[in-house]
Amino acid sequence: MTKINEMTMNDEKQTAEFEARIARGEKIEAGDWMPEAYRKQLIRMISQHAHSEYIGMLPEGKWIPHAPSLRRKMILIAKVQDEAGHGQYLYHAAETLGATREEMMDAFLTGKAKYSSIFNYPSDTWADVGMIGWLVDGAAIRNQTMLAQCSYGPYSRAMVRICAEETFHHKQGKEMVLLYAHGTPKQREMVQDALNRYWWPSLMMLGPHDADSPNTPQLVRWGIKTKTNDEVRQEFIAETAPELLAAGLTIPDPELHFDEESGQWIHGPIDWDEFWQVVRGNGPCNAERLGARRQAHEDGAWVREALNGYAQKALST
Amino acid sequence: MDTQWPRWEVFKKDTAKKPYQAVGSVHAADADHALLNARNVFVRRPQAVSLWVAPAAVIFSRTAEQLEQGNPLPDVDQSVQQTYQIFRKATHRRSMTFMDHIGQVEAPSPAHALQAAIAQFPDPPALAWWIIPADQIISSGEDREMAAAWFDPAKTKTYKHQSAYGFVSARPQGRRRSGAKDE
Amino acid sequence: MNEAVTGALTSRLTALADDELILAQRNSEWTGHAPILEEDIALANIAQDELGHATVWLGLLEPFSGRSPDEMAFFRDAEDFLNVQMVELPKGDWAFTMLRQYLFDAYEHILIEALLASTYQPLADAAAKFRGEEMYHLRHTHLWVERLGLGTDESNRRMQDALDILWPAAGQLFVPLPDDHLLVHEGIFPDLAILQDQWVAIVRPHLTAAGLTFPAEIANTAARGFHTEHMATLLADMQLVARWEPDGEW
């Protein structure tokens, strides 16, 4: 991709024109002028999102060998494969902004870059696979549907593609949870336990309350986000809570109720200390997840070098 | 320094009637490997009849905004005519794909190729162009048997589609595994 | 089909299914741990194809065995599995995984071509269905073997280490089951001795061109049904959840 910005206009005028383009619903493409802060915010968001997909393969991937039916095994391999594919689409979107995959891998593996807090929770039982599909992917789809409207063309396109593929992730998870919720006593107990552990982290993964999210107004103005964290969280609860309850499961929040007057779901206080601990690297599985990723990266180094070696020899003959 | 291999842009043709469209990129050390990776990444689901890959490094790109600001492509006269494949983005509509392949031109340089493309394909006006030397594009080919081997298997993997799960909020029937197990 | 032929077909279908099921199990262990993101996707693709084939073979078996594909996969013990030992070995490094897959893909490619002419129509139909996928797999692993063999000194050494184990092990693919001759006589299943010649003609030149040499060690000629120590732990992993609640629908 080419370097741009040989213009002499001042930044303010360019920014005004840039914001007018976004207001008209135009997509910004690689090569177009953009404020440096827009580029940086996008690289940060997109690469974090890519890392989340990549590391998100691990909690579910570890259950592939134990999947209890041929169909579940097939579905789970395909789902975790999609997550790799989604990571791949997202790294591509960040690459259009000038970030290289080598730099992004380095930032990821050295712990400089963040990824979604949810993947630092353990996946202790097979039922977690279902709960991750229904709740975690359900929450993620809310965010991704919003980001598919995003002003940056490559990010928007990655999201449209991801959303189209991800609906299957959500549905297979829901299918499992409902099946086990109506299954044998052991299955019911297992799926309730999974809900107990995944409910709060799912609410947290949608990000801090609007009042504590200083970047949001700018991101909304630039058309990167089109809804606030609390709005997305409300949508998520409204969609999932009634169905979880209808399945006979107990949501681990005694204060959760629907407020007729405001038309909103009211939930109990979220433990933001825990959220920030996990984001900062002190979650229950941060070290394990990043360790596994580093190990795979190091074990693969000779393979990546071998193919470069082959390509160079092929060029020189 | 770690290597993630060079990047290759991927162009997918969904049906015989559709153009090759830029769908994203893959990393690979060489062209044949890039083509296989493109299939694995972008044809996990149908549909496709053919794929192209090209090294990202050889693509000449300009947006309409860049051209308005007088930022042309390199005009090194190579004194021989070369074939360039022309890709264009013409809409702000939300989609999964970026550029569409719209044709090819013969030109002595990328700058001339772009001028020729603008003259030859004026409608609809482009938001962005890609100009790729034709000899840098590697194709999976359009041979039927090969296409069947590469692209048909995705059609049978119905479990990757949300439609395979129907309406899953109803209370499921309590089916039990039938037949005796022997342990 | 008389009872003896039915019995022979039951064993052969079990062997076909088990090779693919156990190899898919091993390959799926890579998901999330491959050398680069693109290869996580590639290997998960191969694992799904194999698991799909195993499911089809087990489905063809059901009328004879009276057991569902899931019962066959999750409620048999090691001694009842008829896979070759080569597919149950731990996944090893990327060289081992790619070479094992290549040797198996080449075997499956010629097997499928032969099964297209099977007089037992369900086998011929399944072969026609798998043919495209297998051509693609072979192209993929053919490419990898060449690149790792010729890439760097380290990649060549790792490939040679893998071949030293896998070359003799692959011999077991061509050991007939006790009643296979009945199937060959009926035109249901091909003669494995002929397949072996075709297989050697495909893999030997390619491995040689990839800078590898063949170990002198004699081929593994153990009958199917005998397993290495790795099979028990593989099954313990695979059957963990299903056997934890055998009455559940999963």
Side-chain angles (χ1 to χ4, degrees), chain C residues 11-52:
Chain C
S11 297
R12 184 35 77 179
L13 282 169
T14 307
L16 287 170
D18 291 348
D19 281 349
E20 305 243 27
L21 176 63
I22 302 305
L23 188 55
Q25 175 77 6
R26 282 298 185 212
N27 283 336
S28 70
E29 289 173 15
W30 277 102
T31 317
H33 306 275
I36 198 165
L37 205 41
E38 278 77 0
E39 293 304 324
D40 277 303
I41 299 170
L43 209 56
N45 174 60
I46 293 174
Q48 283 172 69
D49 287 349
E50 282 157 354
L51 195 55

Side-chain angles (χ1 to χ4, degrees), chain A residues 57 64-67 69-70 72-74 81 88 101 180 184 186-187 293 302 304 306-307 310 313, chain C residues 25 28 32 35 38 41 45 48 52 70 74 144 146-147 150-151 158 237-238 241 244-245 249-250:
Chain A
M57 298 171 75
I64 290 174
H66 314 302
S69 76
L70 295 168
R72 292 280 169 225
K73 192 187 286 288
M74 191 77 116
Q81 180 191 38
Q88 215 277 347
R101 208 154 92 181
Y180 305 157
T184 67
K186 281 168 89 172
Q187 287 177 316
R293 200 79 288 301
W302 71 267
R304 297 191 298 275
L307 261 64
Y310 175 87
K313 282 180 196 164
Chain C
Q25 175 77 6
S28 70
E38 278 77 0
I41 299 170
N45 174 60
Q48 283 172 69
D70 279 339
F74 298 99
W144 266 102
E146 179 179 329
R147 278 154 183 70
L150 301 175
R158 286 174 181 266
D237 275 340
M238 189 169 93
V241 179
W244 174 73
E245 179 52 304
E249 190 194 343
W250 290 103

Side-chain angles (χ1 to χ4, degrees), chain A residues 295-296 298-300 302-303, chain C residues 22-23 25-31 33-35 43 85-101 148 157-159 161-163 165-166 230 234:
Chain A
Q295 185 70 50
E298 285 164 19
D299 290 349
W302 71 267
V303 179
Chain C
I22 302 305
L23 188 55
Q25 175 77 6
R26 282 298 185 212
N27 283 336
S28 70
E29 289 173 15
W30 277 102
T31 317
H33 306 275
L43 209 56
Q85 294 172 359
M86 170 182 147
V87 296
E88 72 200 37
L89 298 176
K91 74 184 199 301
D93 64 7
W94 191 252
F96 188 87
T97 288
M98 282 293 119
L99 183 61
R100 168 163 63 185
Q101 190 63 40
L148 292 180
R157 175 182 61 73
R158 286 174 181 266
M159 284 295 279
D161 289 349
L163 189 64
I165 294 168
L166 288 166
H230 304 293
L234 180 147

